[in-house]
Amino acid sequence: MNNRCVKGRFAPSPTGRMHLGNVFSAMVSWLSARSRGGGWVLRIEDLDPQRSRMEYARQIEDDLAWLGLDWDEGGVDGAGEVGPYCQSMRGAEYEAALERLMATGLLYRCRCTRADIMATQAPHQSDGRVVYAGTCRPAAAPPFGDCGGEGAVRLWVPDREIEFDDRLFGHHSVNLAGHCGDFVLRRADGAWAYQLAVVVDDAAMGVTEVVRGCDLLLSSAQQIYLYGLLGAEAPAWGHVPLLCNAEGRRLSKRDQSLSMAELRRTRTAGEILGRLAWLAGLIPEDAPVSARELVAEFDWAKMTPAETVTV
């Protein structure tokens, strides 16, 4: 950790009630930080104004508190020195970062629609990845100069490997040109892209470790690239398995039976945490346990680098 004070974070989107998979990521993140005497930040990622609701953010806070997963900074009320902790209120910080990136000459405007981009995708990309073909990329090599006009703002990516280590999934090497191509920092409608917002926020808030679902594992490379361009130190990474239901489908907020609303009606906090800790391999049996009791049990070496775990 380069002697930096350990600080983890949980950054949920307030688009509905948390489900068991959300709690799993939160629990591992909290335990990883607390097991080393570190702090924990709760950031509300409400970039999507159509789906985000403050009432959901309040429910997330209430569920975390009920589980015993306390935070040192953040939340809706923004306790801490580097707020606000709701992304919808951090536009000025994103604007400043975008200005710095424009000075690199690596940004350009893109007028492609989603239909345009999907029409260029190769049939073998069955994993759902969308790789931008560079349709609007300037013919000249960067620096590109003026980034005015209309359309989304894209960041040029180099044709080289970006390497990083994950606490659970080990070493990775990702070529951004082949993995995603030039990616969006600001959409055509003015909305901020996740990749920019998360890097700006984690850097500003002093986050030293990012723990989240393994579906975001390879996006770490995009974020490492942005950290470098912004002159900030990237965090350590720890990606965890995704939880699936009995039918093998990844949990979502549509799984009402595994939402916190239903779980709090039928289970105690200790039962929920015990089940998740057992699924993670942190304890030998599925038995009730408190968050504080789990701190002494936490060890990344106990966890298995599986992409999914069935609840």
Side-chain angles (χ1 to χ4, degrees):
M1 302 299 294
N2 298 325
N3 296 319
R4 289 192 291 173
C5 178
V6 175
K7 184 184 285 188
R9 54 84 157 164
F10 180 51
S13 298
T15 57
R17 198 70 178 265
M18 285 198 300
H19 57 69
L20 202 58
N22 303 136
V23 177
F24 185 67
S25 294
M27 181 193 75
V28 176
S29 173
W30 186 88
L31 289 172
S32 184
R34 296 303 193 210
S35 67
R36 287 169 289 147
W40 203 56
V41 178
L42 174 60
R43 184 171 69 237
I44 305 300
E45 298 202 335
D46 56 345
L47 284 177
D48 185 343
Q50 274 71 48
R51 300 175 61 220
S52 298
R53 299 286 184 273
M54 192 55 62
E55 64 194 81
Y56 295 145
R58 292 289 187 188
Q59 286 179 333
I60 289 169
E61 290 187 335
D62 187 67
D63 288 335
L64 290 173
W66 182 76
L67 289 162
L69 304 178
D70 59 329
W71 56 96
D72 305 289
E73 301 175 39
V76 174
D77 296 327
E81 298 179 356
V82 289
Y85 293 88
C86 292
Q87 288 188 327
S88 60
M89 301 172 65
R90 296 184 58 80
E93 286 79 2
Y94 307 147
E95 194 74 60
L98 192 69
E99 288 294 326
R100 289 180 61 190
L101 291 169
M102 283 183 179
T104 67
L106 300 177
L107 308 189
Y108 62 90
R109 292 283 178 172
C110 173
R111 295 174 178 80
C112 294
T113 65
R114 180 167 180 79
D116 294 333
I117 295 169
M118 295 307 295
T120 68
Q121 300 307 292
H124 63 269
Q125 286 167 257
S126 57
D127 60 0
R129 283 187 299 117
V130 175
V131 182
Y132 183 62
T135 307
C136 290
R137 177 192 277 193
F144 298 129
D146 180 41
C147 191
E150 299 179 351
V153 178
R154 282 191 185 272
L155 172 64
W156 175 90
V157 302
D159 185 10
R160 64 176 172 82
E161 299 296 312
I162 291 180
E163 300 191 13
F164 64 95
D165 292 304
D166 185 79
R167 293 199 184 282
L168 190 59
F169 288 87
H171 186 75
H172 281 75
S173 182
V174 179
N175 184 300
L176 291 180
H179 174 69
C180 61
D182 302 342
F183 58 92
V184 171
L185 300 181
R186 193 172 197 174
R187 295 185 343 207
D189 62 3
W192 297 105
Y194 166 80
Q195 302 293 2
L196 177 66
V198 72
V199 167
V200 170
D201 291 347
D202 283 341
M205 295 172 188
V207 171
T208 66
E209 177 182 78
V210 170
V211 178
R212 58 193 179 187
C214 66
D215 55 326
L216 295 172
L217 175 64
L218 296 184
S219 71
S220 303
Q222 293 165 268
Q223 292 157 28
I224 290 168
Y225 180 48
L226 275 173
Y227 274 107
L229 293 176
L230 290 170
E233 186 174 355
W237 310 96
H239 290 80
V240 299
L242 303 178
L243 298 193
C244 294
N245 60 23
E247 289 74 42
R249 292 193 300 271
R250 173 182 163 186
L251 297 189
S252 72
K253 290 174 181 176
R254 292 186 295 273
D255 287 295
Q256 296 301 314
S257 64
L258 294 174
S259 76
M260 283 302 294
E262 180 63 16
L263 290 170
R264 286 182 65 165
R265 191 181 68 82
T266 59
R267 299 286 189 272
T268 66
E271 287 173 334
I272 294 170
L273 292 175
R275 176 72 173 179
L276 293 177
W278 174 69
L279 289 172
L282 299 177
I283 56 177
E285 58 182 351
D286 182 359
V289 64
S290 72
R292 290 293 168 186
E293 290 171 325
L294 279 173
V295 172
E297 302 295 332
F298 184 78
D299 187 341
W300 280 102
K302 292 181 178 180
M303 299 179 64
T304 302
E307 291 188 7
T308 60
V309 172
T310 301
V311 177

